[in-house]
Amino acid sequence: QVQLVESGGGFVQAGGSLRLSCAASGRTFSNYAMGWFRQAPGKEREFVAAISWSSTSLYYENSVKGRFTISRDNAKNTVYLQMNSLKPEDTAVYYCAGYSTRYYHDYSPPPYWGQGTQVTVSS
């Protein structure tokens, strides 16, 4: 059983920063791509960022490019999302996602998900 547990969400003013963490267990973490998604109230879940198994390929949704950074520490089985210059539009529940491939793809939802962590950005 693959388990993903997010942490680091909270309340922050516009322009501030947060770092989300996702701890993984139950499989060989280093062999698979990981990602972050988010879902705002009344909206569909959307892709935010992803990182390949060896951190050589990074992917970002256009609205977060230059502000968010995804990284991973395979020795700790943990993936991070550093969020800078936060905007009220970033307010959402953020979900950690585990893929069954070494690289990010968009043809099907990732098979593994965390419970989510709330990020609220005030104006």
Side-chain angles (χ1 to χ4, degrees), residues 39-77:
Q39 186 169 20
K43 299 184 68 177
E44 297 295 318
R45 188 172 298 185
E46 66 172 353
F47 170 79
V48 176
I51 186 168
S52 66
W53 69 292
S54 59
S55 301
T56 57
S57 297
L58 307 177
Y59 309 86
Y60 296 98
E61 193 273 323
N62 286 335
S63 69
V64 308
K65 287 182 178 178
R67 300 189 299 120
F68 291 10
T69 302
I70 188 170
S71 62
R72 66 192 297 163
D73 186 339
N74 289 343
K76 296 181 178 179
N77 290 345

Short mmCIF file of all heavy atoms in Angstrom, two decimals, residues 39-77:
data_model
loop_
_atom_site.label_atom_id
_atom_site.label_comp_id
_atom_site.label_asym_id
_atom_site.label_seq_id
_atom_site.Cartn_x
_atom_site.Cartn_y
_atom_site.Cartn_z
N GLN A 39 -6.76 22.02 -5.76
CA GLN A 39 -8.18 22.17 -6.05
C GLN A 39 -8.75 23.28 -5.19
O GLN A 39 -8.75 23.19 -3.97
CB GLN A 39 -8.93 20.87 -5.79
CG GLN A 39 -10.38 20.91 -6.21
CD GLN A 39 -11.03 19.54 -6.21
OE1 GLN A 39 -10.54 18.62 -5.55
NE2 GLN A 39 -12.11 19.40 -6.94
N ALA A 40 -9.23 24.32 -5.85
CA ALA A 40 -9.88 25.43 -5.17
C ALA A 40 -11.37 25.13 -5.04
O ALA A 40 -11.92 24.33 -5.81
CB ALA A 40 -9.67 26.72 -5.95
N PRO A 41 -12.05 25.76 -4.08
CA PRO A 41 -13.49 25.52 -3.91
C PRO A 41 -14.26 25.78 -5.19
O PRO A 41 -14.09 26.83 -5.83
CB PRO A 41 -13.88 26.50 -2.81
CG PRO A 41 -12.63 26.70 -2.03
CD PRO A 41 -11.52 26.67 -3.05
N GLY A 42 -15.09 24.84 -5.58
CA GLY A 42 -15.91 24.99 -6.77
C GLY A 42 -15.20 24.80 -8.09
O GLY A 42 -15.80 25.01 -9.14
N LYS A 43 -13.93 24.41 -8.05
CA LYS A 43 -13.16 24.24 -9.27
C LYS A 43 -12.64 22.81 -9.37
O LYS A 43 -12.60 22.07 -8.39
CB LYS A 43 -12.00 25.23 -9.32
CG LYS A 43 -12.42 26.68 -9.31
CD LYS A 43 -11.23 27.61 -9.46
CE LYS A 43 -10.61 27.51 -10.83
NZ LYS A 43 -9.49 28.48 -11.02
N GLU A 44 -12.23 22.45 -10.57
CA GLU A 44 -11.66 21.13 -10.80
C GLU A 44 -10.22 21.07 -10.29
O GLU A 44 -9.53 22.09 -10.21
CB GLU A 44 -11.70 20.79 -12.29
CG GLU A 44 -13.09 20.72 -12.88
CD GLU A 44 -13.89 19.58 -12.30
OE1 GLU A 44 -13.32 18.48 -12.12
OE2 GLU A 44 -15.07 19.78 -12.01
N ARG A 45 -9.80 19.88 -9.96
CA ARG A 45 -8.42 19.69 -9.56
C ARG A 45 -7.50 19.94 -10.76
O ARG A 45 -7.78 19.50 -11.87
CB ARG A 45 -8.22 18.27 -9.03
CG ARG A 45 -6.86 18.03 -8.42
CD ARG A 45 -6.79 16.66 -7.74
NE ARG A 45 -7.75 16.56 -6.65
CZ ARG A 45 -7.84 15.51 -5.83
NH1 ARG A 45 -7.02 14.49 -5.98
NH2 ARG A 45 -8.75 15.50 -4.87
N GLU A 46 -6.41 20.66 -10.54
CA GLU A 46 -5.52 21.00 -11.62
C GLU A 46 -4.08 20.65 -11.29
O GLU A 46 -3.66 20.64 -10.13
CB GLU A 46 -5.61 22.49 -11.98
CG GLU A 46 -5.11 23.43 -10.89
CD GLU A 46 -5.05 24.88 -11.34
OE1 GLU A 46 -5.27 25.15 -12.54
OE2 GLU A 46 -4.77 25.75 -10.49
N PHE A 47 -3.33 20.39 -12.33
CA PHE A 47 -1.91 20.09 -12.20
C PHE A 47 -1.14 21.33 -11.80
O PHE A 47 -1.40 22.43 -12.28
CB PHE A 47 -1.39 19.57 -13.54
CG PHE A 47 0.10 19.44 -13.61
CD1 PHE A 47 0.75 18.37 -13.03
CD2 PHE A 47 0.86 20.40 -14.26
CE1 PHE A 47 2.12 18.25 -13.09
CE2 PHE A 47 2.24 20.29 -14.33
CZ PHE A 47 2.87 19.21 -13.74
N VAL A 48 -0.15 21.16 -10.93
CA VAL A 48 0.70 22.25 -10.49
C VAL A 48 2.15 22.03 -10.92
O VAL A 48 2.76 22.88 -11.57
CB VAL A 48 0.65 22.45 -8.97
CG1 VAL A 48 1.62 23.53 -8.53
CG2 VAL A 48 -0.77 22.80 -8.53
N ALA A 49 2.72 20.89 -10.56
CA ALA A 49 4.12 20.63 -10.84
C ALA A 49 4.40 19.14 -10.75
O ALA A 49 3.67 18.40 -10.08
CB ALA A 49 5.03 21.40 -9.88
N ALA A 50 5.47 18.70 -11.40
CA ALA A 50 5.89 17.31 -11.32
C ALA A 50 7.39 17.22 -11.48
O ALA A 50 8.03 18.12 -12.05
CB ALA A 50 5.19 16.46 -12.39
N ILE A 51 7.95 16.12 -11.00
CA ILE A 51 9.38 15.90 -11.06
C ILE A 51 9.64 14.44 -11.41
O ILE A 51 8.96 13.54 -10.91
CB ILE A 51 10.05 16.30 -9.71
CG1 ILE A 51 11.57 16.21 -9.80
CG2 ILE A 51 9.49 15.45 -8.56
CD1 ILE A 51 12.26 16.88 -8.61
N SER A 52 10.60 14.21 -12.29
CA SER A 52 10.92 12.86 -12.71
C SER A 52 11.66 12.10 -11.63
O SER A 52 12.07 12.66 -10.61
CB SER A 52 11.74 12.88 -14.00
OG SER A 52 13.02 13.47 -13.78
N TRP A 53 11.87 10.83 -11.86
CA TRP A 53 12.47 9.94 -10.86
C TRP A 53 13.84 10.39 -10.41
O TRP A 53 14.20 10.20 -9.24
CB TRP A 53 12.53 8.53 -11.43
CG TRP A 53 13.52 8.37 -12.55
CD1 TRP A 53 13.44 8.91 -13.80
CD2 TRP A 53 14.72 7.60 -12.51
NE1 TRP A 53 14.53 8.54 -14.56
CE2 TRP A 53 15.33 7.72 -13.78
CE3 TRP A 53 15.34 6.83 -11.53
CZ2 TRP A 53 16.53 7.10 -14.10
CZ3 TRP A 53 16.53 6.20 -11.84
CH2 TRP A 53 17.12 6.34 -13.11
N SER A 54 14.63 10.96 -11.32
CA SER A 54 16.00 11.37 -11.00
C SER A 54 16.16 12.88 -10.92
O SER A 54 17.29 13.37 -10.88
CB SER A 54 16.95 10.81 -12.05
OG SER A 54 16.62 11.26 -13.35
N SER A 55 15.06 13.62 -10.91
CA SER A 55 15.04 15.08 -10.80
C SER A 55 15.61 15.79 -12.02
O SER A 55 15.88 16.99 -11.96
CB SER A 55 15.79 15.55 -9.54
OG SER A 55 15.22 14.99 -8.38
N THR A 56 15.78 15.08 -13.13
CA THR A 56 16.33 15.69 -14.33
C THR A 56 15.28 16.39 -15.18
O THR A 56 15.63 17.17 -16.06
CB THR A 56 17.05 14.65 -15.18
OG1 THR A 56 16.17 13.58 -15.51
CG2 THR A 56 18.25 14.08 -14.43
N SER A 57 14.00 16.09 -14.95
CA SER A 57 12.92 16.71 -15.71
C SER A 57 11.91 17.32 -14.74
O SER A 57 11.38 16.62 -13.87
CB SER A 57 12.23 15.69 -16.61
OG SER A 57 13.12 15.19 -17.58
N LEU A 58 11.65 18.60 -14.92
CA LEU A 58 10.70 19.32 -14.09
C LEU A 58 9.59 19.89 -14.96
O LEU A 58 9.83 20.35 -16.08
CB LEU A 58 11.39 20.46 -13.33
CG LEU A 58 12.62 20.07 -12.50
CD1 LEU A 58 13.23 21.32 -11.88
CD2 LEU A 58 12.26 19.07 -11.42
N TYR A 59 8.37 19.89 -14.44
CA TYR A 59 7.21 20.38 -15.18
C TYR A 59 6.41 21.29 -14.27
O TYR A 59 6.19 20.98 -13.10
CB TYR A 59 6.33 19.21 -15.64
CG TYR A 59 7.09 18.13 -16.38
CD1 TYR A 59 7.72 17.11 -15.68
CD2 TYR A 59 7.16 18.13 -17.77
CE1 TYR A 59 8.42 16.11 -16.35
CE2 TYR A 59 7.84 17.14 -18.44
CZ TYR A 59 8.47 16.13 -17.73
OH TYR A 59 9.15 15.15 -18.40
N TYR A 60 5.92 22.41 -14.83
CA TYR A 60 5.15 23.37 -14.07
C TYR A 60 3.97 23.88 -14.88
O TYR A 60 4.06 24.08 -16.09
CB TYR A 60 6.00 24.57 -13.67
CG TYR A 60 7.14 24.25 -12.74
CD1 TYR A 60 8.43 24.08 -13.22
CD2 TYR A 60 6.93 24.13 -11.37
CE1 TYR A 60 9.48 23.79 -12.37
CE2 TYR A 60 7.98 23.84 -10.51
CZ TYR A 60 9.25 23.67 -11.01
OH TYR A 60 10.29 23.39 -10.16
N GLU A 61 2.86 24.08 -14.18
CA GLU A 61 1.75 24.79 -14.78
C GLU A 61 2.19 26.24 -15.00
O GLU A 61 2.93 26.80 -14.19
CB GLU A 61 0.53 24.70 -13.86
CG GLU A 61 -0.78 25.13 -14.48
CD GLU A 61 -1.01 26.61 -14.36
OE1 GLU A 61 -0.64 27.19 -13.33
OE2 GLU A 61 -1.55 27.20 -15.32
N ASN A 62 1.71 26.84 -16.08
CA ASN A 62 2.22 28.15 -16.47
C ASN A 62 2.08 29.23 -15.39
O ASN A 62 2.97 30.07 -15.24
CB ASN A 62 1.53 28.63 -17.75
CG ASN A 62 2.00 27.89 -18.98
OD1 ASN A 62 3.12 27.35 -19.00
ND2 ASN A 62 1.18 27.85 -20.01
N SER A 63 1.00 29.20 -14.64
CA SER A 63 0.76 30.25 -13.67
C SER A 63 1.71 30.22 -12.48
O SER A 63 1.79 31.19 -11.73
CB SER A 63 -0.69 30.20 -13.17
OG SER A 63 -0.93 29.05 -12.38
N VAL A 64 2.43 29.11 -12.29
CA VAL A 64 3.34 29.01 -11.15
C VAL A 64 4.80 29.03 -11.56
O VAL A 64 5.68 29.03 -10.69
CB VAL A 64 3.05 27.75 -10.30
CG1 VAL A 64 1.58 27.68 -9.92
CG2 VAL A 64 3.48 26.48 -11.03
N LYS A 65 5.08 29.05 -12.85
CA LYS A 65 6.46 29.08 -13.31
C LYS A 65 7.17 30.33 -12.80
O LYS A 65 6.65 31.43 -12.86
CB LYS A 65 6.52 29.05 -14.84
CG LYS A 65 6.18 27.72 -15.45
CD LYS A 65 6.30 27.76 -16.97
CE LYS A 65 6.00 26.41 -17.59
NZ LYS A 65 6.07 26.45 -19.07
N GLY A 66 8.37 30.13 -12.28
CA GLY A 66 9.13 31.23 -11.72
C GLY A 66 8.81 31.53 -10.27
O GLY A 66 9.54 32.30 -9.63
N ARG A 67 7.74 30.95 -9.74
CA ARG A 67 7.36 31.17 -8.35
C ARG A 67 7.45 29.90 -7.51
O ARG A 67 7.82 29.97 -6.34
CB ARG A 67 5.93 31.71 -8.27
CG ARG A 67 5.73 33.03 -9.00
CD ARG A 67 4.36 33.63 -8.71
NE ARG A 67 3.28 32.76 -9.15
CZ ARG A 67 2.34 32.25 -8.35
NH1 ARG A 67 2.35 32.53 -7.05
NH2 ARG A 67 1.37 31.48 -8.84
N PHE A 68 7.10 28.77 -8.09
CA PHE A 68 7.12 27.50 -7.37
C PHE A 68 8.30 26.65 -7.84
O PHE A 68 8.68 26.69 -9.02
CB PHE A 68 5.83 26.70 -7.62
CG PHE A 68 4.60 27.29 -7.01
CD1 PHE A 68 4.58 28.56 -6.46
CD2 PHE A 68 3.43 26.55 -6.98
CE1 PHE A 68 3.43 29.10 -5.91
CE2 PHE A 68 2.27 27.07 -6.43
CZ PHE A 68 2.27 28.34 -5.90
N THR A 69 8.84 25.86 -6.93
CA THR A 69 9.92 24.94 -7.26
C THR A 69 9.62 23.58 -6.64
O THR A 69 9.42 23.48 -5.43
CB THR A 69 11.27 25.44 -6.75
OG1 THR A 69 11.56 26.73 -7.30
CG2 THR A 69 12.38 24.48 -7.16
N ILE A 70 9.62 22.55 -7.48
CA ILE A 70 9.44 21.19 -6.98
C ILE A 70 10.81 20.53 -6.87
O ILE A 70 11.69 20.75 -7.71
CB ILE A 70 8.50 20.37 -7.89
CG1 ILE A 70 8.17 19.02 -7.25
CG2 ILE A 70 9.08 20.20 -9.29
CD1 ILE A 70 7.07 18.26 -7.97
N SER A 71 11.01 19.76 -5.82
CA SER A 71 12.26 19.05 -5.62
C SER A 71 11.98 17.76 -4.86
O SER A 71 10.87 17.54 -4.37
CB SER A 71 13.27 19.92 -4.85
OG SER A 71 12.78 20.24 -3.56
N ARG A 72 12.98 16.91 -4.79
CA ARG A 72 12.80 15.66 -4.06
C ARG A 72 14.09 15.23 -3.41
O ARG A 72 15.19 15.54 -3.88
CB ARG A 72 12.27 14.55 -4.98
CG ARG A 72 13.24 14.11 -6.07
CD ARG A 72 12.54 13.24 -7.10
NE ARG A 72 12.03 12.00 -6.52
CZ ARG A 72 11.12 11.22 -7.10
NH1 ARG A 72 10.61 11.57 -8.29
NH2 ARG A 72 10.72 10.11 -6.50
N ASP A 73 13.96 14.50 -2.32
CA ASP A 73 15.08 13.90 -1.63
C ASP A 73 14.77 12.42 -1.52
O ASP A 73 14.01 11.99 -0.65
CB ASP A 73 15.27 14.53 -0.25
CG ASP A 73 16.51 14.03 0.46
OD1 ASP A 73 17.01 12.95 0.12
OD2 ASP A 73 16.99 14.73 1.37
N ASN A 74 15.33 11.64 -2.42
CA ASN A 74 15.01 10.22 -2.47
C ASN A 74 15.48 9.45 -1.24
O ASN A 74 14.88 8.45 -0.86
CB ASN A 74 15.58 9.59 -3.74
CG ASN A 74 14.85 10.03 -4.99
OD1 ASN A 74 13.74 10.56 -4.93
ND2 ASN A 74 15.46 9.82 -6.15
N ALA A 75 16.55 9.93 -0.62
CA ALA A 75 17.02 9.28 0.60
C ALA A 75 16.01 9.42 1.73
O ALA A 75 15.97 8.58 2.63
CB ALA A 75 18.37 9.86 1.02
N LYS A 76 15.21 10.48 1.69
CA LYS A 76 14.20 10.71 2.71
C LYS A 76 12.79 10.35 2.24
O LYS A 76 11.83 10.55 2.99
CB LYS A 76 14.22 12.18 3.15
CG LYS A 76 15.51 12.61 3.82
CD LYS A 76 15.43 14.07 4.25
CE LYS A 76 16.71 14.49 4.96
NZ LYS A 76 16.65 15.91 5.38
N ASN A 77 12.66 9.85 1.02
CA ASN A 77 11.35 9.52 0.45
C ASN A 77 10.38 10.70 0.54
O ASN A 77 9.21 10.54 0.89
CB ASN A 77 10.75 8.30 1.15
CG ASN A 77 11.48 7.02 0.83
OD1 ASN A 77 12.27 6.94 -0.11
ND2 ASN A 77 11.22 5.98 1.61
#
